Amino acid sequence: MSTPVFVCTGFLDSGKTTLVKDTLMEQDWIEPGLTLLIVCEEGEEEYSKEYLEAHEMVMLTVEEPEQLNREFFVNCVKNYHPSQVVIEYNGMWNLGELLSKKYPKGWEIQGIYSTVNGETLDMYLKNMRNLLMEQLTESSLIVVNRCDRSVDRSGFRRALKVQNPLAQLIFEDPEGQIIQPSAEDLPYDVKGDRIVIEDIDFGVWYVDAYDHPGLYLHKEIEFVAQAFRPKGMGEDMFVPVRKIMTCCANDMRFYGYPCKVEKGTKVPLKKWIRVTARFEFEPVPPYGNRQPVLYLVRMEPAKKPEEEVVYLG
């Protein structure tokens, strides 16, 4: 029988403990039995003795990342035989090292959750961008809390989500209530049947199209991109892409969604084109999962944008 491991990461006082107490431990899929809680730093919010007893939890405190080694985890199994493990991880430590460790047989990481304080996010993006993005890359859930009306949510979305488009991104107001996203957060108009994406907004559209495909479904999307066809992709499809800087100058990738074309259509690979395509959301063999898919309506040559690289954040 497997032992699920849940990792909650974020900088000091970003809300990790609140996420564990109010969200993670309240889920129906938390197994009966002992929960081993491994805390890697102490914040303002604490776990009281009464809380731990009521939730059948045992808390261990770790002060240095080197303590999280194979021997430590094996001893955890011998001494506690937990039904599940929750690691409240120090956001200043390397998350990749935690994920690459050799865990006891049966231990499986089931979820990685990140918390971000909306009041200080702008400062972290300016001064500690690489460290912040490193902890968000593997997250399945990112919660940006303490967001008041002045917070630029669309800017945060661009900076955070393009690094990890599969993650669920949630914004919460200062009272802890989820802020529902709206079309007004976007820099372009989605109300009509045709949506024009300016060069600078390609990354915004790329991220939002995956999160909220219903806003774009069956509509024509127009944008400028480079024509690219990955190795192994058939001639009935290509990918119109833009180069996006996700974190720093050394961290740039091409992003785009597959575009289907009529048989015999000549695609000018590596050239800049203006694409108009119908947006759908469906499985794409051999990838399986549903995702944004484009159906080419027309394309024409286009000038290279003044800014070839789209910078987000």
Side-chain angles (χ1 to χ4, degrees):
M1 184 176 179
S2 64
T3 301
V5 179
F6 305 99
V7 179
C8 294
T9 185
F11 293 128
L12 184 64
D13 295 331
S14 64
K16 297 189 294 293
T17 301
T18 299
L19 179 67
V20 172
K21 293 167 67 175
D22 295 351
T23 303
L24 178 58
M25 293 306 299
E26 297 301 318
Q27 300 303 313
D28 293 337
W29 32 259
I30 292 294
E31 295 288 341
L34 186 139
T35 297
L36 179 62
L37 173 64
I38 301 172
V39 176
C40 301
E41 64 178 343
E42 295 183 5
E44 291 183 0
E45 183 74 16
E46 297 180 349
Y47 297 95
S48 67
K49 179 180 178 181
E50 293 74 18
Y51 176 86
L52 295 174
E53 290 179 351
H55 290 78
E56 200 173 349
M57 300 175 76
V58 171
M59 184 175 74
L60 301 179
T61 301
V62 172
E63 297 181 351
E64 300 294 336
E66 292 77 18
Q67 292 178 254
L68 296 172
N69 53 39
R70 173 77 176 181
E71 182 180 3
F72 172 83
F73 291 123
V74 169
N75 285 333
C76 287
V77 174
K78 291 180 179 179
N79 294 330
Y80 302 105
H81 303 285
S83 296
Q84 57 255 320
V85 179
V86 177
I87 303 177
E88 190 177 300
Y89 199 60
N90 188 324
M92 299 297 291
W93 298 353
N94 187 297
L95 180 60
E97 292 182 1
L98 178 69
L99 301 182
S100 63
K101 292 184 181 297
K102 293 183 178 180
Y103 292 97
K105 184 179 180 180
W107 282 32
E108 297 180 359
I109 294 179
Q110 296 293 320
I112 303 171
Y113 313 118
S114 293
T115 53
V116 181
N117 184 342
E119 298 171 334
T120 57
L121 178 55
D122 185 58
M123 178 189 70
Y124 285 130
L125 286 172
K126 290 179 180 177
N127 301 310
M128 303 174 66
R129 188 185 187 93
N130 288 359
L131 187 59
L132 174 65
M133 290 301 179
E134 186 272 334
Q135 66 176 247
L136 300 178
T137 300
E138 302 294 337
S139 300
S140 53
L141 171 67
I142 300 170
V143 179
V144 184
N145 52 52
R146 285 165 272 187
C147 296
D148 60 24
R149 293 180 179 274
S150 66
V151 170
D152 178 12
R153 299 200 304 271
S154 62
F156 288 169
R157 177 183 294 277
R158 294 198 301 271
L160 294 171
K161 194 66 188 298
V162 75
Q163 185 77 4
N164 184 354
L166 298 181
Q168 181 182 6
L169 178 59
I170 294 175
F171 293 94
E172 294 181 347
D173 65 21
E175 285 71 46
Q177 300 298 313
I178 294 176
I179 301 173
Q180 297 299 329
S182 66
E184 283 67 30
D185 291 329
L186 300 171
Y188 44 80
D189 187 2
V190 296
K191 296 183 179 67
D193 294 330
R194 181 171 171 271
I195 302 171
V196 178
I197 309 297
E198 300 297 335
D199 292 336
I200 195 173
D201 297 325
F202 180 89
V204 181
W205 169 75
Y206 175 81
V207 170
D208 197 65
Y210 196 100
D211 281 350
H212 307 106
L215 290 176
Y216 309 94
L217 206 58
H218 314 316
K219 297 182 180 182
E220 288 190 0
I221 314 296
E222 179 182 330
F223 58 91
V224 171
Q226 278 184 291
F228 175 69
R229 180 174 287 141
K231 184 177 180 180
M233 179 174 280
E235 294 186 0
D236 62 338
M237 189 179 296
F238 76 105
V239 184
V241 299
R242 289 294 303 269
K243 185 182 292 185
I244 296 179
M245 183 185 296
T246 61
C247 184
C248 56
N250 294 324
D251 186 12
M252 291 188 290
R253 286 179 52 194
F254 286 103
Y255 289 85
Y257 291 119
C259 183
K260 295 185 178 183
V261 298
E262 296 288 343
K263 185 177 180 180
T265 301
K266 186 176 181 180
V267 178
L269 298 179
K270 299 183 180 180
K271 302 294 184 180
W272 288 96
I273 55 175
R274 178 168 291 277
V275 176
T276 300
R278 188 180 81 252
F279 182 95
E280 302 295 342
F281 194 75
E282 58 191 31
V284 180
Y287 309 107
N289 294 333
R290 298 179 70 204
Q291 68 166 74
V293 180
L294 305 175
Y295 286 78
L296 185 67
V297 175
R298 58 183 173 274
M299 63 180 170
E300 57 188 19
K303 292 183 179 179
K304 176 181 175 180
E306 292 185 11
E307 295 292 338
E308 182 177 355
V309 176
V310 178
Y311 179 80
L312 301 175

